[in-house]
Amino acid sequence: MMSRERAPSGVVVAALDPEDLPTAVVAATLVVPLRGLSRSTVLAAPLVADLWAATVAEAAMRAGAEVAVSPVAAVDFAGVTVEAVRARWADVHGLPYWFSPTALPTALPAGDAVTRARRTALERAERDEGRWSDRIRAALFGGHRYGVGHAERIAYLRACGTGDLLRAMGELAAAPPVLAMSAADGRTAAECAAALSAAIATRPSVPPSEGGSALSSEGVSVPPSALLSEGPSVSSLAGPIVEGPDSTAAGPSSRGHYLVGAKGVALGDEEKFALHIAWAVLGGREGELDRRLRHEDALTYSLAAFSREFAEGGYGLIYGACRADALEVVTERVEETLEWLASAGPTAAMVDSAKERLIIRQMQAVQSARGFTERMCGYEIAGISAGRILDYPERLERVHAAQVVEAASRFLGSDVRIIG
Amino acid sequence: MTPPGLQVRRVRHPGARLAALRLCVRVGSADESPAERGMAHLLEHLVVRCAMGGGRVGGRVGGGGGGGALVGAATGKEHTAYTVVVRPRDVAEALNVLTLAFEPLAVSEAVLAAELAAVSEERAHRESSVAWRLQQALFAALWHGTPYAHPVLGDPSALAALTPGEVSEFHARRYRPDLAHLTVAGDGLDIPARGDAVSCGDAVSCGDAVSCGDAVSCGDAVSCGNPVGEGLPAPAPGGVCASEAGEWVGFAFAEETAEAGEHHAAACRAVRAATGLEVHRLDLRGHVCTWVMVRARDARAAHRAVTAACLAARDRLLAGDGLEWLRSRVVIPELRRRDDVAVSAALGAFPEQSTAPPDTSALARLIGAWSERLAEPATATAPSGASGATGELSRVSGASGAPSGVSG
């Protein structure tokens, strides 16, 4: 059973009963939403998450708790996750108390903590394989935080100073957090909500942001976007975006990369389920793209097709890596496949197969307590009850093949725009 | 029904909403003659495509599920593993699909050509990775002159010369139920079996798993336990050193399993947690291979960087709060990993939570010994290179497979 507390302060606490997720490790995740925050704070958020993690770890150790602490940095939120062995499951309930002081603007960790946190945040950003979606997201979301690219993020993380970090921490601390726990009862959830509300009430006011362009120290100036404060206005692009053919000539075995992007839906959108199936029909080892591109002619050596849903919008993309001389054929076949999906469409058996793959993938993602609590936070920040995570298989099962075709025709139709 | 001779191991994973099945066949690249190099990996592709009909579980004629779970496969030097994660209702069908691996394999010229092309693309993709190339170089040097030296991906010219008949013959020789075992992990599973042919034991005790004393492969190398049989040919004495792309250096050594000790896997994780340095491990027939790869201008700089990392990890363990640090930074992440039912199937065990504290002193001693053994350019098979540069400790990222583990 899941309990949920929403305090007048805006603090949300969601908790699973300890018996509902009998994992060896229990978790609690505490995050603050990035919606409405300045671009500089959004850019600094992963580094702030690392700083929080370091400080929370010290606080937990002082309290005698044996927990693992990790930063959490996503496009919609930033925070920390703590985990403990099940035998000491109550240890993670200390998170709201360890976190609150660290969120104050004056609580920058001492010593070389900032240097170490910066290095960790940079390594994570540089390793992030999502970087090749940068151009797609930039085209779809423009100045919205979903359009922030890795290059901009890395440049900011390298250059931001103490003042920038304090300002970002202050701005983040003012937002009501969301706390999700994999093992806690209703009373504990209520106590945590009260503790977090009290902490918010006592925080000092946030220092003013330095104008609309927050990256002045970098020489990078990004116009403030209305989307930062006004929500999901990401519908300016009607159809898929196709980037490419783009190839890299790296020696004798030159390689090509093919990228197709499309507008998607927000996490709470009812059409998400049909669209998930449409993308699953395309992608994966048994997907239609794999059959047409790799299985029949070994045209690509790396192929991915998937969608991503966030609180305020979403996108989907197809990525293919192939020989440079195969790019033209790959382009044709991808377009043919998209046309097929949006017109003739998949058979009922293909839809059933895609549903099963998605359900198994979702169940795998929430096998760990940490996977569950971080997903709970994402749902709550998107305005959806975390309990809906458990409904996902059932809601997916309800989708018919005709709905998949309809979703594909609206989001992956023929009005293709080519860039690059 | 499971075929006669196939050992089946059942692992209870409490609360799991999914089940994982893993078929481990005792054939890998070390079983190949020079003319067969790459055959085990090619067979892995062909078994999924031909024998298992694409490796789809559920949703078939008469199947009750929505269908769609897919068999994944990986080839190592000694084993080939096929894994599928399904909902509990589909366990019986998954078992049937996996055991199709033992059916006679019929391969047409066209299918063989298509999979050879796929393997060729896979090779191109992997060889674009500096980590992959460096790992191959390390293993080639460590096991020089033995069947363990060549890459799992094989020899392109040998593969190109293979005929469907040779492939089928190799399959018939190696894909036998008595040369394989199946592990099923989940909660409350009822495994259909022929009683006289199947060994359905209880979950393998993990013993001190929580206290990091178990043998877990670091990375995605395929290891299904050390088979009883002939010993491994002797590795290069004193370890080896290799470099790649002029800026990455790796060190490797092999030792007998008993010598590596029960804390080896935990020590790998402790070094990573303390310093970020990834210490890789691979179990091969009575031996444990250990290797690291760092960005450095030459072997001496790399030696300094690796030594410093090992000593830093050792000191971290020996600090006053070393035990607490080990529990929070090493034990908890490992337990979290094992909450995945597929990991239970791979390890053949679900961890029971032990209250025994990890032995930080033993870990520290082992890591301290690595600092002397892993990286000694004077005694290793070192590449030519200048000395005196400063090493930068940095993991090689993007390795999509360990040298003996090729996901197909």
Side-chain angles (χ1 to χ4, degrees):
Chain A
M1 194 180 71
M2 188 177 289
S3 55
R4 187 168 179 274
E5 289 282 332
R6 185 178 187 92
S9 62
V11 168
V12 175
V13 178
L16 273 177
D17 189 85
E19 301 307 315
D20 286 349
L21 194 63
T23 48
V25 170
V26 300
T29 299
L30 196 155
V31 301
V32 293
L34 300 182
R35 182 174 184 163
L37 303 186
S38 70
R39 195 172 186 88
S40 58
T41 295
V42 167
L43 288 165
L47 174 50
V48 172
D50 274 288
L51 292 169
W52 280 341
T55 314
V56 164
E58 286 178 14
M61 191 167 277
R62 282 196 301 273
E66 281 185 7
V67 294
V69 186
S70 317
V72 176
V75 292
D76 283 322
F77 52 82
V80 295
T81 291
V82 299
E83 299 165 284
V85 296
R86 174 159 288 272
R88 297 186 57 145
W89 60 282
D91 275 4
V92 302
H93 300 161
L95 176 58
Y97 307 95
W98 306 324
F99 179 84
S100 294
T102 69
L104 294 172
T106 53
L108 212 55
D112 64 348
V114 174
T115 304
R116 281 189 279 117
R118 192 191 305 271
R119 189 172 62 218
T120 307
L122 278 167
E123 283 177 1
R124 203 168 54 238
E126 285 165 353
R127 281 203 309 267
D128 187 353
E129 292 187 354
R131 61 186 175 276
W132 40 264
S133 68
D134 277 2
R135 279 190 276 181
I136 295 296
R137 287 184 293 101
L140 280 171
F141 301 113
H144 189 277
R145 66 176 182 277
Y146 297 165
V148 168
H150 285 69
E152 182 188 0
R153 168 97 59 197
I154 287 167
Y156 188 82
L157 291 176
R158 282 199 179 118
C160 63
T162 304
D164 299 317
L165 285 174
L166 285 171
R167 194 164 45 248
M169 291 173 82
E171 201 177 354
L172 286 162
V178 172
L179 172 66
M181 294 181 283
S182 75
D185 55 22
R187 198 184 73 170
T188 303
E191 288 171 356
C192 289
L196 286 168
S197 296
I200 286 181
T202 58
R203 280 174 188 157
S205 59
V206 181
S209 180
E210 290 181 350
S213 281
L215 301 182
S216 53
S217 64
E218 283 304 300
V220 179
S221 179
V222 181
S225 167
L227 292 171
L228 283 171
S229 56
E230 290 181 2
S233 307
V234 290
S235 56
S236 59
L237 300 166
I241 295 171
V242 178
E243 179 188 316
D246 176 23
S247 63
T248 55
S253 58
S254 84
R255 295 276 143 189
H257 301 275
Y258 188 76
L259 202 57
V260 182
K263 187 167 75 76
V265 298
L267 195 59
D269 195 306
E270 286 298 316
E271 207 159 13
K272 173 182 76 174
F273 302 97
L275 206 50
H276 269 186
I277 295 171
W279 280 101
V281 165
L282 287 174
R285 204 184 80 210
E286 285 301 305
E288 193 63 12
L289 285 170
D290 187 86
R291 188 181 71 76
R292 297 185 185 209
L293 293 172
R294 199 186 70 83
H295 202 68
E296 291 178 355
D297 294 315
L299 284 169
T300 54
Y301 65 85
S302 180
L303 185 64
F306 59 84
S307 65
R308 290 279 182 270
E309 290 78 32
F310 309 127
E312 301 169 51
Y315 72 98
L317 66 79
I318 298 168
Y319 167 80
C322 59
R323 298 187 310 274
D325 60 8
L327 269 171
E328 198 172 326
V329 184
V330 169
T331 305
E332 284 173 11
R333 294 215 186 157
V334 170
E335 288 177 359
E336 285 169 9
T337 310
L338 290 173
E339 289 294 323
W340 162 83
L341 184 65
S343 53
T347 63
M350 292 168 82
V351 169
D352 282 348
S353 176
K355 283 179 185 176
E356 188 67 9
R357 290 200 298 274
L358 288 166
I359 289 169
I360 289 173
R361 193 186 310 158
Q362 193 251 9
M363 287 180 168
Q364 285 180 299
V366 296
Q367 284 184 115
S368 73
R370 174 181 169 172
F372 209 102
T373 55
E374 291 179 1
R375 192 164 290 223
M376 287 167 80
C377 289
Y379 270 55
E380 290 289 349
I381 279 174
I384 317 163
S385 164
R388 290 264 300 274
I389 295 171
L390 300 170
D391 297 340
Y392 181 82
E394 184 188 332
R395 294 169 75 89
L396 202 70
E397 294 277 22
R398 285 190 216 144
V399 178
H400 300 295
Q403 293 171 288
V404 176
V405 174
E406 188 184 330
S409 66
R410 295 215 303 117
F411 290 93
L412 299 161
S414 57
D415 43 354
V416 172
R417 178 179 170 191
I418 298 177
I419 59 172
Chain B
M1 289 292 181
T2 52
L6 177 67
Q7 284 196 331
V8 179
R9 179 182 298 167
R10 193 162 35 196
V11 177
R12 182 168 178 268
H13 187 115
R17 293 200 296 156
L18 295 167
L21 295 89
R22 180 178 164 97
L23 176 70
C24 200
V25 184
R26 204 181 302 165
V27 60
S29 62
D31 299 304
E32 299 161 345
S33 69
E36 295 170 333
R37 286 179 180 171
M39 176 82 92
H41 175 239
L42 176 66
L43 259 184
E44 171 222 302
H45 280 235
L46 291 167
V47 163
V48 172
R49 179 168 179 156
C50 302
M52 297 182 185
R56 289 178 290 269
V57 176
R60 295 176 163 208
V61 177
L70 298 172
V71 175
T75 307
K77 290 191 180 297
E78 296 179 330
H79 300 93
T80 305
Y82 300 86
T83 306
V84 63
V85 177
V86 296
R87 289 200 264 183
R89 68 185 186 195
D90 290 326
V91 165
E93 186 176 354
L95 194 149
N96 287 338
V97 170
L98 287 177
T99 53
L100 289 172
F102 304 116
E103 296 294 316
L105 187 68
V107 180
S108 68
E109 291 276 6
V111 167
L112 179 60
E115 285 307 326
L116 284 172
V119 169
S120 174
E121 283 297 301
E122 189 178 343
R123 173 191 300 281
H125 179 49
R126 291 190 185 277
E127 287 183 346
S128 67
S129 158
V130 64
W132 176 262
R133 296 196 305 271
L134 182 53
Q135 286 177 344
Q136 299 312 312
L138 285 171
F139 268 66
L142 190 63
W143 298 105
H144 178 71
T146 80
Y148 288 79
H150 71 272
V152 172
L153 282 171
D155 176 353
S157 59
L159 283 170
L162 290 175
T163 66
E166 289 168 330
V167 171
S168 297
E169 190 276 330
F170 189 93
H171 173 268
R173 210 162 10 108
R174 296 289 181 175
Y175 275 70
R176 294 175 6 207
D178 62 318
L179 295 178
H181 67 264
L182 177 77
T183 307
V184 186
D187 194 8
L189 300 177
D190 181 22
I191 305 168
R194 287 208 319 226
D196 60 340
V198 178
S199 161
C200 286
D202 292 330
V204 173
S205 169
C206 210
D208 53 355
V210 177
S211 60
C212 306
D214 58 311
V216 178
S217 292
C218 299
D220 55 357
V222 178
S223 180
C224 299
N226 293 327
V228 177
E230 293 178 10
L232 200 64
V240 297
C241 172
S243 63
E244 185 63 44
E247 57 178 347
W248 290 94
V249 178
F251 300 94
F253 68 87
E255 58 194 331
E256 292 187 2
T257 302
E259 190 183 352
E262 60 178 342
H263 298 299
H264 186 283
C268 290
R269 294 191 286 271
V271 173
R272 182 180 183 182
T275 68
L277 175 66
E278 187 106 36
V279 182
H280 301 270
R281 168 198 173 115
L282 179 68
D283 291 291
L284 291 176
R285 200 169 304 179
H287 285 71
V288 173
C289 305
T290 307
W291 72 100
V292 295
M293 298 180 292
V294 296
R295 182 192 289 271
R297 286 177 57 186
D298 56 51
R300 291 185 191 283
H303 173 247
R304 282 197 294 273
V306 172
T307 300
C310 289
L311 295 179
R314 184 198 65 182
D315 293 346
R316 187 67 195 83
L317 284 162
L318 294 176
D321 60 352
L323 180 58
E324 291 76 16
W325 176 85
L326 183 67
R327 282 175 169 159
S328 63
R329 297 293 301 275
V330 179
V331 175
I332 290 174
E334 176 59 13
L335 279 174
R336 180 213 309 139
R337 189 176 77 89
R338 293 173 179 218
D339 273 324
D340 184 337
V341 70
V343 175
S344 286
L347 298 176
F350 179 76
E352 298 299 330
Q353 291 189 39
S354 167
T355 54
D359 186 344
T360 51
S361 299
L363 287 183
R365 278 196 303 275
L366 181 58
I367 294 168
W370 287 351
S371 69
E372 298 165 7
R373 183 157 189 190
L374 262 177
E376 185 52 68
T379 58
T381 310
S384 60
S387 60
T390 301
E392 175 194 348
L393 187 59
S394 178
R395 283 187 302 167
V396 176
S397 60
S400 51
S404 65
V406 178
S407 297

